[in-house]
Amino acid sequence: ASMLDQRKNASSVSDVIGAEQIGKSGDSDAASALKRVTGLTVVGGKYVYVRGMGERYSATLLNGSTLPSPEPERRVVPLDMFPVDMFKGMIVQKTYSPDMPGEFGGGTILLQTRGIPESFTAEVGLSGGYLTGTTGEKGLMYKGGSMDWLGMDDGSRELPGSIADASKDQSLLERDQFSSRGYTADELEKLGEEMNNNWALHRREIPLDVGFNATVGHRFHLFHVPIGFLAGVTYSNEWDLENKEKSYFIVGANDDLELQHTYKFETLEHSVDLGSIFNLGVEPNEDHKIQSTTLLM
């Protein structure tokens, strides 16, 4: 009811999703819940665009603070990394107001996290996926690291220390007769031999897509002061196999098209998303609340 009153009294055009509506939808992450809002486009199951405009014109705020994207080449935040149970409401503001950031463009998504729960709460969700043409097929893979399933590197791809030190202050160039910069051919060869010589590919059966999300929280009393926490984690492990064929033609005799080259491409993409959010709160009295929010993406 409070979320509907907020929408009714707002001076800007906005849509509101409350915790009750989120709970009825059965969605597991914020991106899935927002796809039910009119005027929003969810791309790739994770990127939310307001009014069909690109990521350049969309912004995301978490409890009033601008949320940076964990992907360096994208401005938009992948919202599938947030468990939906962590939010008490989501507001999509489609017109500008003075309290919004100055870079407001097409719209802003305002995420409001829940405070400390009234009692112990725990929810767990599991998901699996079968992709036709990918799951169960033989795909090209290589020997990675033991933590690839978490989307992290265990050091297998780390640059050797000697190469990192050698390239810290200057480029790895061969020394010439006109200056003392760079390294000799023998030094460069020695550095190259220290690189991990693991380039072999092998075919392996592509497993099922899996997903996991969980939320847990509790309230305690310390010197009669309510304190508590609410934590959520979401994880997905997905595969996508693509086979493409490209043909190139030239204009031959009598202006007829003649086939010049044909190339076949096979691409296997392994996507792992791991994100978590942790709320720690204190309620000294009915009129004051102190809350800390920590993100890991």
Side-chain angles (χ1 to χ4, degrees), residues 174-182:
E174 186 173 359
R175 184 178 301 170
D176 55 41
Q177 58 182 340
F178 301 104
S179 68
S180 60
R181 295 179 303 173

Side-chain angles (χ1 to χ4, degrees), residues 19-293:
E20 183 178 0
Q21 184 178 356
I22 293 174
K24 292 180 179 179
S25 65
D27 297 315
S28 60
D29 56 74
S32 300
L34 285 170
K35 69 183 180 182
R36 305 177 187 278
V37 179
T38 304
L40 293 189
T41 303
V42 180
V43 179
K46 59 177 69 176
Y47 306 111
V48 179
Y49 299 152
V50 182
R51 297 189 294 179
M53 307 179 76
E55 60 186 78
R56 178 181 177 183
Y57 303 99
S58 300
T60 304
L61 303 182
L62 179 65
N63 294 334
S65 299
T66 302
L67 192 61
S69 175
E71 302 183 14
E73 297 181 354
R74 284 185 174 271
R75 184 178 184 275
V76 66
V77 179
L79 296 181
D80 64 329
M81 304 180 71
F82 297 100
V84 72
D85 296 326
M86 294 294 299
F87 300 106
K88 68 177 181 181
M90 290 180 270
I91 303 173
V92 181
Q93 187 166 325
K94 302 177 182 179
T95 57
Y96 180 74
S97 61
D99 59 328
M100 289 292 103
E103 60 179 7
F104 184 95
T108 300
I109 299 173
L110 304 129
L111 304 177
Q112 299 177 351
T113 58
R114 295 166 54 187
I116 60 177
E118 295 297 327
S119 59
F120 176 78
T121 178
E123 295 185 18
V124 177
L126 298 173
S127 63
Y130 180 94
L131 184 61
T132 303
T134 297
T135 307
E137 300 292 333
K138 297 286 186 177
L140 286 173
M141 303 184 189
Y142 74 104
K143 183 181 178 181
S146 60
M147 298 181 65
D148 286 358
W149 65 279
L150 287 175
M152 303 178 184
D153 183 43
D154 62 352
S156 303
R157 303 173 183 85
E158 186 176 1
L159 196 66
S162 57
I163 298 179
D165 294 337
S167 59
K168 183 189 307 181
D169 300 323
Q170 59 178 323
S171 302
L172 294 179
L173 301 176
E174 186 173 359
R175 184 178 301 170
D176 55 41
Q177 58 182 340
F178 301 104
S179 68
S180 60
R181 295 179 303 173
Y183 300 90
T184 64
D186 292 338
E187 291 174 331
L188 291 176
E189 181 180 355
K190 185 177 179 180
L191 291 174
E193 291 174 352
E194 296 185 16
M195 295 289 291
N196 185 6
N197 191 23
N198 178 26
W199 310 100
L201 295 175
H202 61 274
R203 289 195 175 275
R204 199 183 75 185
E205 185 174 318
I206 303 173
L208 288 167
D209 295 343
V210 295
F212 168 82
N213 64 86
T215 305
V216 61
H218 198 17
R219 174 187 288 255
F220 309 91
H221 285 83
L222 181 63
F223 302 111
H224 304 290
V225 177
I227 63 173
F229 72 93
L230 184 65
V233 61
T234 180
Y235 169 79
S236 67
N237 191 331
E238 300 176 347
W239 301 82
D240 186 14
L241 175 65
E242 289 188 0
N243 290 284
K244 299 180 180 179
E245 182 175 312
K246 291 186 178 181
S247 298
Y248 295 86
F249 297 83
I250 60 174
V251 179
N254 301 321
D255 293 334
D256 293 331
L257 291 178
E258 296 181 1
L259 179 63
Q260 187 179 27
H261 299 291
T262 297
Y263 300 97
K264 293 183 179 180
F265 299 88
E266 179 180 333
T267 304
L268 178 61
E269 181 178 352
H270 183 200
S271 302
V272 177
D273 289 327
L274 177 63
S276 64
I277 181 170
F278 179 76
N279 286 343
L280 181 64
V282 180
E283 298 180 356
N285 52 56
E286 294 181 357
D287 299 324
H288 296 84
K289 296 180 180 180
I290 303 174
Q291 180 174 306
S292 170
T293 302

